[in-house]
Amino acid sequence: MLRLSLAELLMGVIVLQQGLAALMWWLSARVQVVPRVPALHWAAGALWAAGVVGCTVLGQNLGPAFSHSFTNMMAPGVFILLRLGLQILLRAPRQDGEHALVAVLAVASAWGGHLAGAPLFWGIATASLLNAYCLLRLAQTVRLPVRQELGEGAVRLVTWPLRALAGVFLLRALLALVVPPEAVQPLYVDTPPNIVVLVIMMTLGLVMHLVLALCVALRLVRRLHRLSRQDALTLLPNRRAADEHLARLFARLRAGQGGFALALADVDHFKRVNDQQGHAIGDRALAHLAAQLRAQARPVDLVARFGGEEFVLLLPDVDAATAHAVAERQCQAAAAEPLRLGATALPLSISLGVGVARADDSAESLLARVDAALYRAKAAGRNRVELAA
């Protein structure tokens, strides 16, 4: 009957764990629950990890060239694949040259040490240091993309398991260098340090896959949040986003931190465009004007589609004269740049109502005053700006 040591049992659990993780990521890619390319990288990384640990156990009878040198040479590949998958998911810059250098160093140190008859601690120390380097570099390079894509709270969640696992490998390298050479044993040998290392690796390996899954979930949630506040046609913020920003501006006004103005812009004779040119051209006209409005706005301004052919501009820290000048510039820019339809040009213009928020205003009262000003601009001939009373 086959009898396994505790270390071998733990390594078997790690092989099973990583094999199941590889299957999970592969299935996630197949059914498109997770972006395909990152998921396949993580599946390959988990399968690679299972293979490295499995070869360490099964290669005991094949000699140190296989059980030590080969597995030490292959181990950094796990973390290179993990890093590539995260970089692709987060659209972070890749460091393929650095990955190639790590691979060359892994092969040179492991196989060169074997050919030179280096003691066991050499392979353990060099492979552990390379593994730790890959993990620390991964934690460093994904910080900014994780913050931009998933938010500040996700940074620690993603980086601490990477640093913790790197710490395990650094500790293993240190132990291999400081203890007497005869005390250094392969991972499949039952020693207290090996059992501790294997338990930590098993735990952090599971945590790492959970963190990757959480990254995917957070990215999806944030993307859905953005899409729920973005107009699909113009790619501008939609009315929900405008209402939320308007509430923030009112809170800022009442805290004495600065006023703001609101402008409503309506496309002149838009029904005529739809009737004469068709709805497809009408949609192109709206997208064209949205781009014009955004191009003329300041970085601090919010330009949103308010509904139909109506747009809203929220202008912080402006007085009535400045708000009127901004609206005039928008009006002139829209009229100066027609929509190009092949060899023909479709003239477009907008009318705007503008109002500065008052301390006693609510969102409804401010919008009502500005809407009345917009109505006056339409009644006065269109392609013009009117200030709210």
Side-chain angles (χ1 to χ4, degrees), residues 79 82 125 127-140 158-174 197 200-201 204-205 208:
F79 307 109
L82 177 68
S128 297
L129 288 172
L130 283 173
N131 292 340
Y133 172 81
C134 290
L135 286 160
L136 290 173
R137 282 288 291 142
L138 173 57
Q140 177 190 3
V158 173
T159 57
W160 81 257
L162 297 172
R163 293 196 176 107
L165 192 53
V168 173
F169 282 113
L170 287 173
L171 179 61
R172 188 161 187 255
L174 180 63
V197 167
I200 294 174
M201 288 175 64
L204 290 177
M208 195 63 247

Side-chain angles (χ1 to χ4, degrees), residues 5 38 57 65 100 117 137 197 250 269 273 303 313 320 349 360:
S5 67
V57 178
R137 282 288 291 142
V197 167
F250 266 116
H269 301 297
V273 173
V303 179
L313 292 79
S349 66
D360 59 345

